[in-house]
Amino acid sequence: MNQQIGPRDLMRVLYRYRGLMLGIVGVVSLLVLFQQLLSPTLYRSTSNLQIELIDEVGTNQADVNSRNAERVANAVRLHRSRSAAEQVIKDLNLLEDRRFLRELGSSPPQKKTLSQVATNRLLSMIAINAQAGSDLVEITVTSRSPELAAAIANQLPASVRALRLTMSNERRAKLLKSLLSDLKVRDEAAKKAASNVAEFRQKNQMLVGSGSEEDLAQINRVAAQSAVASAARDGALARAAGVARAAGMRSTANATSGSLDQLDRQRGELLGEISRLGTSLGPNHPDVKRLNAQLSVVEGTIAAERNRVQSAAQAVSSAEASRMTELARSEAASDSAQALRLSGIVASLNGKAFANSRNMVELQRLMREASLTNDAYESVVSRVEQVRAQMQNEGVSSSLLSPAVPNFDAVSPAPFKMTLTAMISSAVLAFLIAFTRDFMDDRLRTMVQIRRLFGLPTLGMLPLMDRDLPDDPNQSPVIQEPQSLFAEVARSAYCEVRALRTRPGAQVVLISSPLPGDGKSTVSLTLAAAGLAMGERTVILDLDLRKRACSSSYRTKRWHPTSWTWSAGERTWTASSQRPATAGMTECFHFQRTRDDARWCS
C-alpha cells in the first residue's frame, strides 16, 4: 500500500503543477485553433478498386489466401508509388491545371524542381487503404477542389494499369530482344553441333544407327541369310545326286503310246472274237484260224511298238534326269556363291561393327552436344513465342468498382473539433509532463515517500503556511484557530509523539534537519503550542549555534554555568556553553547525546 499512488497524490500533483499544465493546454489549444483558422478548406473524394484474386479449385486454401493477400498488398504499394503519381500528373496534365497549382502554395517552385514537388504533393493528397481479407482497395484523395479530388481518384487506377502495361511491355521488349539474340547464337551452335555429327559419320562411314544394336541386328540378319544359302546349296547338291541316281532306277515297262493302245484294243477284240468263235465253231475252223493269224500279226506289231515306245521313254527319262541334275547343280552353285558372298559381308560387318564401337564414344559425345544445343534452341524458341503472346495481352488485374464523385462537404478545417481534441491531448500531455517532473523531484513531500525511501513512520504532515508562525506558542494557529486543518494536524502529530512514550515522566524530543530553513523551528513551536493546548508543560531548547530562532518574548531561563548535566528518568545529556549568556535571550548550546536510547522525531 505504501508503494501505490492514490487519488490524493494525483490531486497533489495537479495542484502543484496547475500553472504549468494550464500553460501547456492553453498554448497548444491556441496554436491548433490558429492553425485551423488559417487552414484552407479541403474536400475529399473516394473511389473503390477491386483486385482480381486467384480462385483455384483443389489447391491449398491457405496458400491461395496468402497469395491473394500478397496481390492486394502489391496493388496497394503500386498505387502508392511515385511512378503512379508521376503517371497521374502526366495523364491529367496537372502541371498546367490551376486547381492543382493552388495545392503547391502561393509561390510555385522552380521548373527544375516542379515535377518533384508536384509528385510529393500528390502523394500527400492520396491515401490508399485495404481491409484484411477483402479484395477492395479504397482510394481517398483530399484537395481544395472537389472536382480535382474526384478526377485524381478515378484516374489513379487507369494510370496504374497504363504504367503496368508500359513497364511490362518495355521489360518484355528488352527480354524479347535478348531472346532473339540468344536464339541466333543457339541456332548457330545447333547447326555446328549437327554438322560435327554428320562429318564424323561421313568420315568414319557410320550410318544412322551404326555402332549400336542395329549393327548387331544387321549382322545377325546377314548371317542368317548366309546360313540359309549354305543350307540351300547343300540341299541342291543332294537333290542333284538323287536325281542322277533316280534316272537310272526309272522303269519303262509301263511306257505306252497311242498306237500301242490301239493295238492293244485290236488284240483284245481279236481275242474276244476267237473265244466266241472257238466255242461255237471249234479251234480248227477257218475263221478261227484266220483270226489267230491276225492275232499273231497284231501281237508282233504290239511287241515291236512296245520296244520302240520303251526306248523313247528311256531316252526322255534320261534327258529329264540330266536336265534336273543340271538344274540342281546350278542352284547349288548359286546358293554356294550367295553363301560365300554373305559370309564375306558378315566378316566385313563384324570388322565395321568393331570399328563403330570404338568410334561410338566420340559420336555419342557429339550427339549429346547436338541434343543439348537443339534443346536449348527449342527452349529459346518457346520462350520467344510466350513473350510475344504475353505482349498481346493487357494483363489487367484490377477494375474500378465504384468511381469517385465530387463531394462538396468540406472535411477540413474543423476548428471546434480540432481545438477540443488538442485540449484533451494537451491535457494528457501536460499531466504526463507534470507527473514526470514530480517523479524526478527528489524532495520529500509526502508520507509515502518517507516510508518508501527510509522505512520510517510519519507522525504527521503539517500543511504549508502562507505566513510565518509567531515565536510565542500562545499566538500559534493551533491555539488561536483550533478548528483549522493546521491545528488538527498539529494535535494529531503531538498525540503520535506522546504515544511513543513508554515510561512515565518527562519526554524529550529532538527535532533536526540536514539543511537550514527546513522547518525545525516551525515544528518545535507547533508541537509546543499543541502541548499547551492540551494542558501540558513544554520546554523548547534552541541549540542552533549559527541562527537563533527562538526569542525571549515568552518565558525563558538564563543558563549561567558553562557546563551542566540534565537528567530525565534514565536519560542523561551533557551540554556545554559555546558563548556567554545574554539577558533576555535563550542560550544556545552544543547538545551531545550520551545515551543511544533517546527517541526523536524528524
Side-chain angles (χ1 to χ4, degrees):
M1 293 296 294
N2 295 337
Q3 304 295 331
Q4 297 179 356
I5 298 177
R8 288 187 176 181
D9 296 319
L10 296 179
M11 295 303 298
R12 176 181 54 81
V13 173
L14 294 177
Y15 180 78
R16 180 178 302 153
Y17 298 104
R18 60 186 180 277
L20 174 64
M21 297 177 63
L22 290 176
I24 293 175
V25 172
V27 170
V28 173
S29 301
L30 290 177
L31 290 177
V32 172
L33 179 60
F34 183 72
Q35 185 269 338
Q36 287 292 309
L37 294 177
L38 296 181
S39 297
T41 303
L42 300 179
Y43 301 90
R44 182 172 296 166
S45 295
T46 303
S47 63
N48 291 316
L49 183 68
Q50 187 176 26
I51 307 301
E52 182 182 353
L53 300 181
I54 302 173
D55 189 11
E56 297 181 358
V57 180
T59 57
N60 189 359
Q61 190 62 33
D63 184 47
V64 172
N65 294 337
S66 176
R67 292 167 61 188
N68 287 333
E70 185 65 22
R71 287 172 67 90
V72 174
N74 290 337
V76 171
R77 285 192 289 267
L78 184 58
H79 284 76
R80 288 176 178 170
S81 62
R82 295 185 62 86
S83 300
E86 292 174 356
Q87 187 68 28
V88 171
I89 294 174
K90 179 180 178 181
D91 294 339
L92 294 180
N93 196 17
L94 295 180
L95 296 181
E96 302 296 334
D97 194 333
R98 294 182 178 179
R99 298 173 299 178
F100 183 74
L101 293 178
R102 288 174 53 196
E103 302 287 343
L104 303 181
S106 57
S107 57
Q110 300 178 359
K111 291 185 178 181
K112 60 180 180 180
T113 60
L114 179 60
S115 177
Q116 182 178 0
V117 173
T119 303
N120 294 336
R121 179 55 185 161
L122 182 59
L123 289 175
S124 65
M125 295 167 57
I126 298 174
I128 311 294
N129 297 315
Q131 296 182 357
S134 175
D135 60 346
L136 295 179
V137 176
E138 185 180 74
I139 302 175
T140 304
V141 180
T142 304
S143 174
R144 299 183 183 183
S145 171
E147 295 86 356
L148 180 62
I152 294 175
N154 293 330
Q155 181 61 37
L156 183 58
S159 298
V160 169
R161 285 195 298 270
L163 179 63
R164 183 191 294 115
L165 181 61
T166 302
M167 294 177 63
S168 62
N169 284 341
E170 290 179 356
R171 185 173 61 255
R172 288 168 181 166
K174 294 180 180 179
L175 178 59
L176 181 60
K177 183 178 179 181
S178 176
L179 288 175
L180 291 176
S181 177
D182 190 21
L183 181 63
K184 184 176 180 181
V185 175
R186 299 290 182 182
D187 186 21
E188 295 295 333
K191 289 181 180 179
K192 183 177 180 180
S195 177
N196 291 336
V197 173
E199 290 177 358
F200 186 82
R201 287 184 180 275
Q202 183 178 4
K203 178 181 178 181
N204 295 276
Q205 296 181 355
M206 296 178 65
L207 299 178
V208 177
S210 298
S212 62
E213 294 182 355
E214 294 184 5
D215 279 352
L216 181 60
Q218 184 180 8
I219 293 173
N220 292 334
R221 287 194 301 269
V222 175
Q225 293 176 2
S226 177
V228 170
S230 298
R233 177 195 61 189
D234 296 339
L237 292 175
R239 187 167 57 255
V243 170
R245 288 192 301 271
M249 292 185 298
R250 181 173 295 181
S251 175
T252 59
N254 294 327
T256 184
S257 64
S259 299
L260 186 59
D261 292 338
Q262 185 178 0
L263 291 173
D264 285 338
R265 287 192 301 269
Q266 186 178 359
R267 178 176 175 274
E269 291 175 357
L270 290 175
L271 287 175
E273 187 68 22
I274 290 171
S275 176
R276 182 179 63 79
L277 292 177
T279 301
S280 60
L281 297 179
N284 294 319
H285 190 275
D287 291 335
V288 173
K289 291 180 176 181
R290 182 180 53 81
L291 291 175
N292 286 330
Q294 292 180 355
L295 179 60
S296 298
V297 173
V298 169
E299 288 181 350
T301 305
I302 288 174
E305 184 64 25
R306 180 172 286 111
N307 291 330
R308 187 188 64 80
V309 170
Q310 289 179 352
S311 298
Q314 186 69 30
V316 171
S317 177
S318 297
E320 182 67 21
S322 298
R323 187 182 65 83
M324 293 182 64
T325 300
E326 292 299 328
L327 288 176
R329 290 174 179 175
S330 176
E331 291 179 1
S334 176
D335 291 337
S336 178
Q338 184 178 3
L340 291 175
R341 185 170 63 255
L342 291 176
S343 298
I345 293 174
V346 170
S348 176
L349 289 177
N350 286 330
K352 189 64 176 177
F354 286 115
N356 289 340
S357 298
R358 290 191 300 270
N359 296 330
M360 197 61 189
V361 177
E362 181 65 19
L363 180 61
Q364 287 180 351
R365 185 185 68 80
L366 296 176
M367 292 180 66
R368 285 195 301 270
E369 292 181 357
S371 178
L372 291 175
T373 54
N374 188 54
D375 292 342
Y377 176 78
E378 292 179 355
S379 176
V380 174
V381 170
S382 177
R383 182 59 176 158
V384 168
E385 293 178 355
Q386 182 181 2
V387 172
R388 285 177 175 173
Q390 290 176 352
M391 293 182 66
Q392 303 298 325
N393 301 325
E394 292 185 1
V396 177
S397 60
S398 60
S399 58
L400 188 61
L401 188 63
S402 175
V405 295
N407 186 5
F408 293 92
D409 295 332
V411 296
S412 178
F416 177 77
K417 177 181 178 181
M418 296 303 296
T419 303
L420 180 61
T421 304
M423 290 179 63
I424 297 174
S425 302
S426 60
V428 174
L429 177 62
F431 176 77
L432 293 177
I433 294 175
F435 189 79
T436 303
R437 183 175 179 182
D438 183 76
F439 179 78
M440 297 178 65
D441 189 1
D442 57 356
R443 290 177 291 181
L444 298 176
R445 298 182 181 274
T446 63
M447 294 183 294
V448 175
Q449 292 176 327
I450 296 175
R451 293 192 190 101
R452 182 175 67 249
L453 298 176
F454 303 104
L456 297 176
T458 304
L459 303 178
M461 290 289 294
L462 295 177
L464 183 65
M465 299 292 294
D466 55 357
R467 66 182 185 277
D468 295 334
L469 291 178
D471 292 338
D472 188 357
N474 293 316
Q475 302 298 323
S476 174
V478 179
I479 298 177
Q480 299 297 326
E481 302 175 7
Q483 302 298 327
S484 64
L485 176 62
F486 186 85
E488 181 67 25
V489 173
R491 288 191 296 269
S492 177
Y494 185 80
C495 291
E496 292 287 343
V497 172
R498 294 292 290 166
L500 297 176
R501 184 174 58 178
T502 59
R503 297 178 182 180
Q507 182 182 15
V508 180
V509 178
L510 174 63
I511 300 174
S512 178
S513 69
L515 298 176
D518 287 341
K520 298 182 293 295
S521 301
T522 300
V523 173
S524 301
L525 294 174
T526 300
L527 291 179
L532 292 175
M534 299 179 69
E536 295 186 356
R537 296 175 60 187
T538 59
V539 177
I540 301 175
L541 181 60
D542 189 355
L543 301 179
D544 193 341
L545 304 182
R546 296 178 176 83
K547 183 179 180 182
R548 178 173 55 86
C550 298
S551 65
S552 59
S553 59
Y554 57 96
R555 183 178 179 181
T556 62
K557 183 176 182 179
R558 179 177 300 176
W559 303 95
H560 291 287
T562 58
S563 63
W564 50 272
T565 301
W566 177 36
S567 300
E570 296 181 356
R571 298 174 177 82
T572 303
W573 289 266
T574 300
S576 59
S577 175
Q578 300 296 320
R579 64 181 182 179
T582 304
M585 303 183 73
T586 302
E587 293 293 329
C588 297
F589 297 95
H590 173 70
F591 193 73
Q592 179 180 2
R593 190 178 63 181
T594 60
R595 299 292 296 272
D596 294 335
D597 58 346
R599 297 180 181 273
W600 59 282
C601 175
S602 60

